[in-house]
Amino acid sequence: MIVARVLLLATVAALVLALGIGFRPVHADAGFGIADCGSAFQPVHPTEDEDVLSDPTGAMMALAEVAEAKCEEARSGPEQLARACLAGSAVLLIAAVVYARRRRARLTEREAHHA
């Protein structure tokens, strides 16, 4: 029973770690300032914030595209790590369920054998 509890505790820890990494704010140096990139699970896209009508030359949109590329690069690492933690938590949860079922089956078999 201790093994199943340890597996469940590890599952919860991996899930909390994934959520912590996935929702942690990410910032990137875009060359002209620090860009707010949102987080791996809730990205902010600088190009969506630009108003095309107030930028007839397109200079601000070009800067926003540079910031978007830097943000995409900055978010990729935490996103991959958070997804790996989510996958690990799923594997640990499956292992805990399989272990608990096998243990329960062994106990039922022992009780039937001794009865």
Side-chain angles (χ1 to χ4, degrees), residues 4-86:
R5 287 184 181 168
V6 168
L7 286 171
L8 285 176
L9 183 62
T11 300
V12 170
L15 188 59
V16 167
L17 183 63
L19 292 175
I21 291 170
F23 287 112
R24 182 173 177 260
V26 176
H27 303 287
D29 183 8
F32 52 85
I34 302 296
D36 177 24
C37 303
S39 66
F41 291 156
Q42 288 184 322
V44 172
H45 301 284
T47 53
E48 292 176 359
D49 294 338
E50 290 303 316
D51 183 15
V52 178
L53 296 177
S54 66
D55 185 22
T57 63
M60 292 305 289
M61 186 56 119
L63 291 176
E65 288 173 358
V66 169
E68 176 71 33
K70 295 287 185 175
C71 282
E72 195 68 37
E73 184 180 323
R75 280 191 305 260
S76 68
E79 182 179 7
Q80 290 176 354
L81 188 57
R83 287 181 186 214
C85 288
L86 286 174

Side-chain angles (χ1 to χ4, degrees), residues 89-104:
S89 67
V91 168
L92 288 168
L93 180 63
I94 291 169
V97 169
V98 167
Y99 179 82
R101 284 187 179 178
R102 285 185 180 173
R103 188 175 191 313
R104 195 173 306 126

